[in-house]
Amino acid sequence: MTAGEATDRWLFLTPEVEKEVPALVSALLGDLVALGDADAWFVALRALRSLLDAAVLAGADRRRVGRLAAILLEQYLLAPSVVALDARDEAERRHLTALVNGPAS
């Protein structure tokens, strides 16, 4: 692995993050743009999840909520291939899983 590869190894974005997330975030929450390293990306993911929780409380479209939660969840499912998840990340993964599964009947 070269030095350049080491600095980019945290990049595990799926195509959905680029294609769908901006429109979903805009429709549900307003605009959010994030730049930075792996730590900054996890901060952005947690911020999106927090805003998503607020959207749920405000009665947002559950289909859009579920789709954005699924895309964010993918990031936590893919991340262990390049970074170790800590307890906070695991809690985020569980929370997003609950959002994907929807409200308990």
Coordinates of all heavy atoms in Angstrom, one line a residue:
M1 N 0.8 -1.2 0.0 CA 0.0 0.0 0.0 C 0.9 1.2 0.0 O 1.8 1.3 0.8 CB -0.9 0.0 1.2 CG -1.8 1.2 1.4 SD -2.8 1.2 2.8 CE -3.8 -0.3 2.7
T2 N 0.6 2.2 -0.9 CA 1.4 3.4 -0.9 C 0.8 4.4 0.0 O -0.3 4.2 0.6 CB 1.3 4.0 -2.4 OG1 0.0 4.5 -2.6 CG2 1.8 3.0 -3.4
A3 N 1.6 5.4 0.3 CA 1.2 6.5 1.2 C -0.2 7.1 0.8 O -1.0 7.3 1.6 CB 2.2 7.6 1.4
G4 N -0.4 7.3 -0.5 CA -1.6 7.8 -1.0 C -2.8 6.9 -0.7 O -3.9 7.4 -0.4
E5 N -2.6 5.6 -0.9 CA -3.6 4.7 -0.7 C -4.0 4.7 0.8 O -5.2 4.6 1.2 CB -3.2 3.3 -1.1 CG -3.1 3.1 -2.6 CD -2.5 1.8 -3.0 OE1 -1.5 1.4 -2.3 OE2 -3.1 1.1 -3.8
A6 N -3.1 4.8 1.7 CA -3.3 4.8 3.1 C -4.2 5.9 3.5 O -5.1 5.8 4.4 CB -2.0 4.8 3.9
T7 N -4.0 7.1 3.0 CA -4.8 8.3 3.3 C -6.3 8.2 2.8 O -7.2 8.8 3.3 CB -4.2 9.6 2.9 OG1 -4.1 9.6 1.5 CG2 -2.9 9.8 3.5
D8 N -6.5 7.4 1.7 CA -7.8 7.3 1.1 C -8.5 6.0 1.5 O -9.6 5.8 1.0 CB -7.7 7.4 -0.4 CG -7.3 8.7 -0.9 OD1 -7.4 9.7 -0.1 OD2 -6.8 8.8 -2.0
R9 N -7.9 5.2 2.3 CA -8.6 3.9 2.6 C -9.9 4.0 3.3 O -10.7 3.1 3.3 CB -7.6 3.0 3.3 CG -7.4 3.4 4.8 CD -6.3 2.5 5.4 NE -6.1 2.9 6.7 CZ -6.2 2.2 7.8 NH1 -6.4 0.9 7.6 NH2 -6.0 2.7 9.0
W10 N -10.2 5.1 3.9 CA -11.4 5.3 4.6 C -12.6 5.5 3.7 O -13.8 5.4 4.1 CB -11.4 6.4 5.6 CG -11.2 7.7 5.0 CD1 -10.1 8.4 4.6 CD2 -12.3 8.6 4.7 NE1 -10.4 9.6 4.0 CE2 -11.7 9.8 4.1 CE3 -13.7 8.6 4.8 CZ2 -12.5 10.9 3.6 CZ3 -14.4 9.7 4.4 CH2 -13.8 10.8 3.8
L11 N -12.3 5.8 2.4 CA -13.4 6.1 1.4 C -14.1 4.8 1.1 O -13.6 4.0 0.3 CB -12.8 6.8 0.2 CG -12.1 8.1 0.4 CD1 -11.4 8.5 -0.9 CD2 -13.1 9.1 0.9
F12 N -15.3 4.7 1.6 CA -16.1 3.5 1.3 C -17.5 3.9 0.9 O -18.5 3.2 1.2 CB -16.1 2.5 2.5 CG -16.4 3.2 3.8 CD1 -17.7 3.3 4.3 CD2 -15.3 3.6 4.6 CE1 -17.9 4.0 5.5 CE2 -15.6 4.3 5.8 CZ -16.9 4.4 6.3
L13 N -17.6 5.0 0.3 CA -18.9 5.5 -0.1 C -19.6 4.6 -1.2 O -18.9 4.2 -2.1 CB -18.8 6.9 -0.7 CG -18.3 8.0 0.2 CD1 -18.3 9.3 -0.5 CD2 -19.1 8.1 1.5
T14 N -20.8 4.3 -1.0 CA -21.6 3.6 -2.0 C -22.1 4.6 -3.0 O -22.2 5.8 -2.7 CB -22.7 2.8 -1.3 OG1 -23.6 3.7 -0.7 CG2 -22.2 1.8 -0.4
P15 N -22.5 4.2 -4.2 CA -23.1 5.1 -5.2 C -24.3 5.8 -4.6 O -24.6 7.0 -5.0 CB -23.4 4.2 -6.4 CG -22.6 3.0 -6.2 CD -22.4 2.8 -4.7
E16 N -25.1 5.2 -3.8 CA -26.3 5.8 -3.2 C -26.0 7.1 -2.4 O -26.8 8.0 -2.4 CB -27.0 4.8 -2.3 CG -27.6 3.6 -3.0 CD -26.6 2.5 -3.2 OE1 -25.5 2.6 -2.7 OE2 -27.0 1.5 -3.7
V17 N -24.8 7.1 -1.8 CA -24.5 8.3 -1.0 C -24.3 9.5 -1.9 O -24.8 10.6 -1.6 CB -23.2 8.0 -0.2 CG1 -22.7 9.3 0.5 CG2 -23.4 7.0 0.9
E18 N -23.7 9.3 -3.0 CA -23.6 10.4 -4.0 C -24.9 10.7 -4.7 O -25.2 11.8 -5.0 CB -22.4 10.1 -5.0 CG -21.1 10.1 -4.3 CD -20.0 10.0 -5.3 OE1 -19.9 10.8 -6.2 OE2 -19.2 9.1 -5.2
K19 N -25.6 9.7 -5.1 CA -26.8 9.8 -6.0 C -28.0 10.2 -5.2 O -28.7 11.1 -5.6 CB -27.0 8.6 -6.8 CG -28.2 8.7 -7.7 CD -28.3 7.4 -8.5 CE -29.5 7.5 -9.5 NZ -29.8 6.3 -10.2
E20 N -28.3 9.6 -4.1 CA -29.6 9.7 -3.4 C -29.6 10.6 -2.2 O -30.5 11.3 -1.9 CB -30.2 8.4 -3.0 CG -30.5 7.5 -4.2 CD -31.1 6.2 -3.8 OE1 -32.1 6.2 -3.1 OE2 -30.6 5.1 -4.2
V21 N -28.5 10.6 -1.4 CA -28.5 11.3 -0.1 C -28.7 12.8 -0.3 O -29.5 13.3 0.5 CB -27.2 10.9 0.7 CG1 -27.0 11.9 1.9 CG2 -27.2 9.5 1.1
P22 N -28.1 13.5 -1.2 CA -28.4 14.9 -1.2 C -29.8 15.2 -1.4 O -30.4 16.1 -0.7 CB -27.5 15.4 -2.4 CG -26.4 14.4 -2.5 CD -27.0 13.1 -2.1
A23 N -30.5 14.5 -2.3 CA -32.0 14.8 -2.5 C -32.8 14.4 -1.3 O -33.7 15.1 -0.9 CB -32.5 14.1 -3.7
L24 N -32.5 13.2 -0.6 CA -33.2 12.8 0.6 C -33.0 13.8 1.7 O -33.9 14.1 2.4 CB -32.7 11.4 1.0 CG -33.2 10.3 0.0 CD1 -32.5 9.0 0.3 CD2 -34.7 10.1 0.2
V25 N -31.7 14.2 1.9 CA -31.4 15.1 3.0 C -32.1 16.4 2.7 O -32.7 17.0 3.7 CB -29.9 15.3 3.1 CG1 -29.6 16.5 4.1 CG2 -29.2 14.1 3.7
S26 N -32.1 16.9 1.5 CA -32.8 18.2 1.2 C -34.3 18.1 1.5 O -34.9 19.0 2.0 CB -32.5 18.5 -0.3 OG -33.2 19.7 -0.6
A27 N -34.9 17.0 1.0 CA -36.3 16.8 1.2 C -36.7 16.6 2.7 O -37.8 17.1 3.1 CB -36.8 15.6 0.4
L28 N -35.9 16.0 3.5 CA -36.2 15.7 4.9 C -35.7 16.8 5.8 O -36.4 17.0 6.8 CB -35.6 14.3 5.3 CG -36.3 13.1 4.6 CD1 -35.5 11.9 4.9 CD2 -37.7 12.9 5.2
L29 N -34.5 17.3 5.6 CA -33.9 18.1 6.6 C -33.3 19.4 6.2 O -32.9 20.2 7.0 CB -32.7 17.2 7.1 CG -32.9 15.7 7.4 CD1 -31.6 15.0 7.5 CD2 -33.8 15.6 8.6
G30 N -33.1 19.7 4.9 CA -32.4 20.8 4.4 C -31.0 20.4 4.0 O -30.7 19.2 4.0
D31 N -30.2 21.3 3.6 CA -28.9 20.9 3.0 C -27.9 20.6 4.1 O -27.8 21.2 5.2 CB -28.3 22.0 2.2 CG -29.2 22.2 0.9 OD1 -29.7 21.2 0.4 OD2 -29.3 23.4 0.5
L32 N -27.0 19.7 3.8 CA -25.8 19.3 4.6 C -24.7 18.9 3.7 O -24.9 18.0 2.9 CB -26.1 18.2 5.6 CG -25.0 17.7 6.5 CD1 -24.8 18.8 7.6 CD2 -25.3 16.4 7.1
V33 N -23.5 19.5 3.9 CA -22.4 19.2 3.1 C -21.2 18.8 4.0 O -21.0 19.6 5.0 CB -21.9 20.3 2.1 CG1 -20.7 20.0 1.4 CG2 -23.1 20.7 1.2
A34 N -20.5 17.7 3.8 CA -19.4 17.3 4.7 C -18.2 17.1 3.9 O -18.2 16.4 2.8 CB -19.8 16.1 5.4
L35 N -17.1 17.6 4.3 CA -15.7 17.4 3.8 C -14.8 17.0 4.9 O -15.0 17.4 6.0 CB -15.2 18.6 3.1 CG -16.0 19.2 1.9 CD1 -15.4 20.5 1.5 CD2 -16.0 18.2 0.8
G36 N -13.8 16.1 4.6 CA -12.9 15.8 5.7 C -12.4 14.4 5.6 O -12.4 13.7 4.6
D37 N -11.9 13.9 6.8 CA -11.3 12.6 6.9 C -12.3 11.6 7.5 O -13.5 11.9 7.6 CB -10.0 12.7 7.7 CG -10.3 13.2 9.1 OD1 -11.5 13.3 9.5 OD2 -9.3 13.5 9.8
A38 N -11.8 10.4 7.8 CA -12.7 9.4 8.4 C -13.4 9.9 9.6 O -14.6 9.6 9.8 CB -11.9 8.1 8.7
D39 N -12.7 10.5 10.5 CA -13.4 11.0 11.8 C -14.5 12.0 11.4 O -15.6 11.9 12.0 CB -12.4 11.6 12.7 CG -11.4 10.6 13.3 OD1 -11.8 9.4 13.4 OD2 -10.3 11.0 13.7
A40 N -14.2 12.9 10.5 CA -15.2 13.9 10.1 C -16.4 13.2 9.4 O -17.5 13.6 9.6 CB -14.6 14.9 9.1
W41 N -16.1 12.1 8.7 CA -17.2 11.4 8.0 C -18.2 10.8 9.0 O -19.4 10.9 8.9 CB -16.7 10.3 7.1 CG -17.8 9.6 6.4 CD1 -18.0 8.2 6.4 CD2 -18.8 10.1 5.5 NE1 -19.1 7.9 5.7 CE2 -19.6 9.1 5.1 CE3 -19.1 11.4 5.1 CZ2 -20.7 9.2 4.3 CZ3 -20.2 11.6 4.3 CH2 -21.0 10.5 3.9
F42 N -17.6 10.2 10.1 CA -18.5 9.6 11.1 C -19.2 10.7 11.9 O -20.4 10.5 12.3 CB -17.7 8.7 12.1 CG -17.4 7.4 11.5 CD1 -16.2 7.1 10.9 CD2 -18.4 6.4 11.4 CE1 -15.9 5.8 10.4 CE2 -18.1 5.2 10.8 CZ -16.9 4.9 10.3
V43 N -18.6 11.9 12.1 CA -19.3 13.0 12.7 C -20.5 13.4 11.8 O -21.6 13.6 12.3 CB -18.3 14.2 12.9 CG1 -19.1 15.5 13.3 CG2 -17.3 13.9 14.0
A44 N -20.3 13.4 10.5 CA -21.3 13.8 9.6 C -22.4 12.7 9.6 O -23.6 13.1 9.5 CB -20.8 13.9 8.2
L45 N -22.1 11.4 9.6 CA -23.1 10.4 9.7 C -23.9 10.5 11.0 O -25.1 10.4 10.9 CB -22.4 9.0 9.7 CG -21.8 8.6 8.3 CD1 -21.1 7.2 8.5 CD2 -22.8 8.5 7.2
R46 N -23.3 10.8 12.1 CA -24.0 10.9 13.4 C -24.9 12.2 13.3 O -26.1 12.1 13.8 CB -23.1 11.0 14.5 CG -22.4 9.7 14.9 CD -21.7 9.7 16.2 NE -20.5 10.6 16.1 CZ -19.3 10.2 15.7 NH1 -19.1 9.0 15.3 NH2 -18.3 11.0 15.7
A47 N -24.4 13.2 12.7 CA -25.2 14.4 12.5 C -26.5 14.2 11.7 O -27.6 14.6 12.0 CB -24.4 15.6 12.0
L48 N -26.3 13.4 10.6 CA -27.4 13.1 9.7 C -28.4 12.2 10.4 O -29.6 12.4 10.3 CB -26.9 12.3 8.5 CG -26.5 13.2 7.3 CD1 -25.9 12.3 6.2 CD2 -27.6 14.0 6.7
R49 N -27.9 11.3 11.2 CA -28.8 10.4 11.9 C -29.6 11.2 13.0 O -30.8 11.0 13.2 CB -28.1 9.3 12.6 CG -28.9 8.1 13.0 CD -29.5 8.2 14.5 NE -28.4 8.5 15.4 CZ -28.5 9.4 16.4 NH1 -29.6 10.0 16.6 NH2 -27.5 9.6 17.2
S50 N -28.9 12.1 13.6 CA -29.6 13.0 14.6 C -30.7 13.8 13.9 O -31.8 14.0 14.4 CB -28.6 13.9 15.3 OG -29.2 14.7 16.2
L51 N -30.4 14.4 12.8 CA -31.4 15.2 12.0 C -32.5 14.3 11.5 O -33.7 14.7 11.5 CB -30.7 15.9 10.9 CG -29.8 17.0 11.3 CD1 -29.0 17.5 10.0 CD2 -30.5 18.2 11.9
L52 N -32.2 13.1 11.2 CA -33.2 12.1 10.8 C -34.1 11.8 11.9 O -35.4 11.8 11.7 CB -32.5 10.8 10.3 CG -33.3 9.8 9.5 CD1 -34.1 10.5 8.3 CD2 -32.5 8.7 9.0
D53 N -33.6 11.7 13.1 CA -34.5 11.5 14.3 C -35.5 12.7 14.4 O -36.6 12.5 14.7 CB -33.7 11.4 15.6 CG -33.0 10.0 15.7 OD1 -33.3 9.1 15.0 OD2 -32.0 9.9 16.5
A54 N -34.9 13.9 14.2 CA -35.8 15.1 14.3 C -36.9 15.1 13.3 O -38.0 15.4 13.5 CB -34.9 16.3 14.2
A55 N -36.5 14.6 12.1 CA -37.5 14.5 11.0 C -38.6 13.5 11.3 O -39.8 13.8 11.0 CB -36.8 14.2 9.7
V56 N -38.2 12.4 11.9 CA -39.2 11.4 12.3 C -40.2 12.0 13.3 O -41.4 11.8 13.2 CB -38.5 10.1 12.9 CG1 -39.5 9.2 13.6 CG2 -37.7 9.4 11.8
L57 N -39.6 12.7 14.3 CA -40.5 13.3 15.3 C -41.4 14.4 14.7 O -42.5 14.6 15.2 CB -39.6 14.0 16.4 CG -38.9 13.0 17.3 CD1 -38.0 13.7 18.3 CD2 -39.9 12.1 18.1
A58 N -41.0 15.0 13.6 CA -41.8 16.0 12.9 C -42.8 15.4 12.0 O -43.5 16.1 11.3 CB -40.9 17.0 12.2
G59 N -42.8 14.1 11.9 CA -43.8 13.4 11.0 C -43.3 13.3 9.5 O -44.2 13.2 8.6
A60 N -42.0 13.2 9.3 CA -41.5 13.1 8.0 C -42.0 11.8 7.3 O -42.4 10.8 7.9 CB -40.0 13.1 8.0
D61 N -41.9 11.8 6.0 CA -42.3 10.7 5.1 C -41.5 9.4 5.5 O -40.3 9.4 5.4 CB -42.0 11.1 3.7 CG -42.3 10.0 2.7 OD1 -42.2 8.8 3.0 OD2 -42.7 10.3 1.5
R62 N -42.1 8.4 6.0 CA -41.4 7.2 6.5 C -40.7 6.5 5.4 O -39.6 5.9 5.7 CB -42.4 6.2 7.2 CG -43.0 6.7 8.5 CD -41.9 6.9 9.5 NE -41.1 5.7 9.8 CZ -40.2 5.7 10.7 NH1 -39.9 6.7 11.4 NH2 -39.5 4.6 10.8
R63 N -41.1 6.6 4.2 CA -40.4 5.9 3.1 C -39.1 6.6 2.9 O -38.0 5.9 2.7 CB -41.3 6.0 1.8 CG -40.7 5.2 0.6 CD -41.6 5.3 -0.6 NE -42.1 6.7 -0.9 CZ -41.3 7.6 -1.6 NH1 -40.1 7.3 -2.0 NH2 -41.9 8.8 -1.8
R64 N -39.1 7.9 2.9 CA -37.8 8.6 2.7 C -36.9 8.4 3.9 O -35.7 8.3 3.8 CB -38.1 10.1 2.5 CG -38.6 10.4 1.1 CD -38.8 11.9 1.0 NE -39.0 12.2 -0.4 CZ -39.6 13.3 -0.8 NH1 -40.0 14.2 0.1 NH2 -39.8 13.5 -2.1
V65 N -37.5 8.4 5.1 CA -36.7 8.2 6.3 C -36.1 6.8 6.3 O -34.9 6.7 6.5 CB -37.6 8.3 7.6 CG1 -36.9 7.7 8.8 CG2 -38.0 9.7 7.9
G66 N -36.8 5.8 5.9 CA -36.3 4.5 5.8 C -35.2 4.4 4.8 O -34.2 3.7 5.0
R67 N -35.3 5.0 3.6 CA -34.3 5.0 2.6 C -33.0 5.6 3.0 O -31.9 5.1 2.9 CB -34.9 5.6 1.3 CG -33.9 5.5 0.2 CD -33.6 4.1 -0.2 NE -32.6 4.0 -1.2 CZ -31.7 3.1 -1.3 NH1 -31.6 2.1 -0.4 NH2 -30.7 3.1 -2.2
L68 N -33.1 6.9 3.6 CA -31.9 7.5 4.1 C -31.3 6.7 5.2 O -30.1 6.6 5.2 CB -32.3 9.0 4.5 CG -31.1 9.8 5.0 CD1 -29.9 9.8 4.0 CD2 -31.5 11.2 5.4
A69 N -32.1 6.2 6.1 CA -31.5 5.4 7.2 C -30.8 4.2 6.6 O -29.7 3.8 7.1 CB -32.6 5.0 8.2
A70 N -31.3 3.5 5.6 CA -30.7 2.4 5.0 C -29.4 2.7 4.3 O -28.4 2.0 4.5 CB -31.6 1.8 3.9
I71 N -29.3 3.9 3.7 CA -28.0 4.3 3.1 C -27.0 4.6 4.1 O -25.8 4.2 4.0 CB -28.3 5.5 2.1 CG1 -29.1 5.1 0.9 CG2 -26.9 6.1 1.7 CD1 -29.6 6.3 0.1
L72 N -27.4 5.3 5.2 CA -26.5 5.6 6.3 C -26.0 4.3 7.0 O -24.8 4.1 7.3 CB -27.1 6.5 7.3 CG -27.5 7.9 6.8 CD1 -28.2 8.7 7.9 CD2 -26.3 8.6 6.3
L73 N -27.0 3.4 7.1 CA -26.6 2.1 7.7 C -25.6 1.3 6.9 O -24.7 0.7 7.5 CB -27.9 1.2 7.9 CG -27.7 -0.2 8.4 CD1 -27.1 -0.2 9.8 CD2 -29.1 -0.9 8.5
E74 N -25.7 1.4 5.6 CA -24.7 0.8 4.7 C -23.3 1.2 5.0 O -22.3 0.4 5.0 CB -25.0 1.0 3.2 CG -26.1 0.2 2.7 CD -26.2 0.5 1.2 OE1 -25.8 1.6 0.7 OE2 -26.8 -0.4 0.5
Q75 N -23.2 2.5 5.4 CA -21.8 3.0 5.7 C -21.3 2.3 6.9 O -20.1 2.0 7.0 CB -21.9 4.5 5.9 CG -22.3 5.3 4.7 CD -21.3 5.1 3.6 OE1 -20.1 5.6 3.7 NE2 -21.6 4.4 2.5
Y76 N -22.1 2.1 7.9 CA -21.7 1.4 9.1 C -21.4 -0.1 8.9 O -20.6 -0.7 9.6 CB -22.7 1.6 10.3 CG -22.6 3.0 10.9 CD1 -23.4 4.0 10.4 CD2 -21.6 3.3 11.8 CE1 -23.4 5.3 11.0 CE2 -21.5 4.6 12.3 CZ -22.4 5.6 11.9 OH -22.3 6.8 12.4
L77 N -22.1 -0.7 7.9 CA -21.9 -2.1 7.6 C -20.6 -2.3 6.8 O -20.0 -3.3 6.9 CB -23.1 -2.6 6.9 CG -24.4 -2.7 7.7 CD1 -25.6 -3.1 6.8 CD2 -24.3 -3.6 8.9
L78 N -20.3 -1.3 5.9 CA -19.1 -1.4 5.1 C -17.9 -0.9 5.9 O -16.8 -1.4 5.5 CB -19.3 -0.5 3.9 CG -20.3 -1.0 2.9 CD1 -20.6 0.0 1.8 CD2 -19.9 -2.3 2.2
A79 N -18.0 0.0 6.8 CA -16.8 0.6 7.5 C -15.9 -0.4 8.1 O -14.7 -0.2 8.0 CB -17.3 1.6 8.5
P80 N -16.3 -1.5 8.7 CA -15.3 -2.4 9.3 C -14.3 -3.0 8.4 O -13.3 -3.5 8.8 CB -16.2 -3.5 9.9 CG -17.5 -2.8 10.2 CD -17.7 -1.9 9.0
S81 N -14.5 -2.9 7.1 CA -13.5 -3.4 6.1 C -12.3 -2.4 6.0 O -11.3 -2.9 5.6 CB -14.2 -3.5 4.7 OG -14.5 -2.3 4.2
V82 N -12.5 -1.2 6.5 CA -11.4 -0.2 6.5 C -11.0 0.4 7.8 O -9.9 0.9 8.0 CB -11.6 0.8 5.4 CG1 -11.5 0.2 4.0 CG2 -12.9 1.6 5.6
V83 N -12.0 0.5 8.7 CA -11.8 1.1 10.0 C -12.5 0.3 11.1 O -13.5 -0.4 10.8 CB -12.3 2.6 10.1 CG1 -11.5 3.5 9.2 CG2 -13.8 2.6 9.9
A84 N -12.0 0.3 12.3 CA -12.6 -0.4 13.4 C -13.7 0.5 14.0 O -13.5 1.7 14.2 CB -11.6 -0.7 14.5
L85 N -14.9 -0.1 14.2 CA -16.0 0.7 14.7 C -15.9 0.6 16.3 O -15.6 -0.4 16.8 CB -17.3 0.1 14.3 CG -17.7 0.1 12.9 CD1 -19.1 -0.5 12.6 CD2 -17.6 1.5 12.3
D86 N -16.1 1.7 16.9 CA -16.1 1.8 18.4 C -17.5 1.6 18.9 O -18.5 1.4 18.1 CB -15.4 3.0 18.9 CG -16.2 4.3 18.5 OD1 -17.4 4.3 18.1 OD2 -15.6 5.4 18.6
A87 N -17.7 1.6 20.2 CA -19.0 1.4 20.8 C -20.0 2.4 20.3 O -21.2 2.1 20.1 CB -18.9 1.4 22.3
R88 N -19.6 3.6 20.1 CA -20.6 4.7 19.7 C -21.0 4.4 18.2 O -22.2 4.5 17.9 CB -19.9 6.0 19.7 CG -20.7 7.2 19.3 CD -20.1 8.5 19.5 NE -18.8 8.6 19.0 CZ -18.0 9.6 19.0 NH1 -18.4 10.7 19.5 NH2 -16.8 9.6 18.5
D89 N -20.1 3.9 17.4 CA -20.5 3.5 16.0 C -21.4 2.3 16.0 O -22.4 2.3 15.2 CB -19.2 3.2 15.2 CG -18.2 4.3 15.1 OD1 -18.7 5.5 15.0 OD2 -17.0 4.0 15.1
E90 N -21.2 1.4 16.9 CA -22.1 0.2 17.0 C -23.5 0.6 17.4 O -24.5 0.1 16.9 CB -21.5 -0.8 17.9 CG -20.3 -1.6 17.4 CD -20.6 -2.4 16.1 OE1 -21.7 -2.8 15.8 OE2 -19.6 -2.7 15.4
A91 N -23.5 1.6 18.3 CA -24.8 2.1 18.8 C -25.5 2.8 17.6 O -26.8 2.7 17.5 CB -24.6 3.1 20.0
E92 N -24.8 3.6 16.8 CA -25.4 4.2 15.6 C -25.9 3.2 14.7 O -27.0 3.3 14.1 CB -24.3 5.1 14.9 CG -23.9 6.3 15.7 CD -25.1 7.3 15.7 OE1 -25.8 7.6 14.7 OE2 -25.3 7.9 16.8
R93 N -25.2 2.1 14.5 CA -25.6 1.0 13.6 C -26.9 0.4 14.0 O -27.8 0.3 13.3 CB -24.5 0.0 13.5 CG -24.8 -1.1 12.4 CD -23.9 -2.3 12.5 NE -23.8 -2.9 13.9 CZ -24.7 -3.6 14.5 NH1 -25.8 -3.9 13.8 NH2 -24.5 -4.1 15.7
R94 N -27.0 0.2 15.3 CA -28.3 -0.4 15.9 C -29.4 0.6 15.7 O -30.5 0.2 15.4 CB -28.1 -0.8 17.3 CG -27.2 -2.0 17.5 CD -27.2 -2.5 19.0 NE -26.8 -1.5 19.9 CZ -25.5 -1.3 20.2 NH1 -24.5 -2.0 19.7 NH2 -25.2 -0.4 21.1
H95 N -29.2 1.9 16.0 CA -30.2 2.9 15.9 C -30.7 3.0 14.4 O -31.9 3.1 14.2 CB -29.7 4.2 16.4 CG -30.7 5.3 16.5 ND1 -31.4 5.4 17.7 CD2 -31.2 6.2 15.7 CE1 -32.3 6.4 17.6 NE2 -32.2 6.9 16.3
L96 N -29.8 3.0 13.5 CA -30.2 3.1 12.1 C -30.9 1.8 11.7 O -31.9 1.9 10.9 CB -28.9 3.3 11.2 CG -28.3 4.7 11.3 CD1 -26.9 4.7 10.7 CD2 -29.2 5.7 10.6
T97 N -30.5 0.7 12.2 CA -31.3 -0.6 11.9 C -32.7 -0.4 12.3 O -33.6 -0.8 11.6 CB -30.6 -1.8 12.6 OG1 -29.3 -1.9 12.0 CG2 -31.4 -3.1 12.3
A98 N -32.9 0.2 13.5 CA -34.3 0.4 14.0 C -35.1 1.3 13.1 O -36.3 1.1 12.8 CB -34.2 0.9 15.4
L99 N -34.4 2.4 12.6 CA -35.1 3.3 11.7 C -35.4 2.6 10.4 O -36.5 2.9 9.8 CB -34.2 4.5 11.4 CG -34.1 5.6 12.6 CD1 -33.0 6.6 12.2 CD2 -35.4 6.2 12.8
V100 N -34.6 1.8 9.9 CA -34.8 1.1 8.7 C -36.1 0.1 8.8 O -36.9 0.0 8.0 CB -33.6 0.2 8.2 CG1 -34.0 -0.7 7.1 CG2 -32.5 1.2 7.7
N101 N -36.1 -0.5 10.0 CA -37.2 -1.5 10.3 C -38.5 -0.8 10.6 O -39.5 -1.4 10.5 CB -36.8 -2.4 11.4 CG -35.7 -3.3 11.0 OD1 -35.5 -3.7 9.8 ND2 -34.9 -3.7 12.0
G102 N -38.5 0.5 10.8 CA -39.7 1.3 11.1 C -40.2 1.1 12.5 O -39.6 0.3 13.3
P103 N -41.3 1.8 12.8 CA -41.8 1.7 14.2 C -42.4 0.3 14.5 O -42.9 -0.3 13.6 CB -43.0 2.8 14.1 CG -43.2 3.1 12.7 CD -42.0 2.7 11.9
A104 N -42.2 0.0 15.7 CA -42.8 -1.4 16.2 C -44.3 -1.3 16.1 O -44.9 -0.3 16.4 CB -42.3 -1.7 17.6
S105 N -44.8 -2.4 15.6 CA -46.3 -2.5 15.5 C -46.9 -2.8 16.8 O -46.4 -3.5 17.7 CB -46.7 -3.6 14.5 OG -46.1 -3.4 13.3

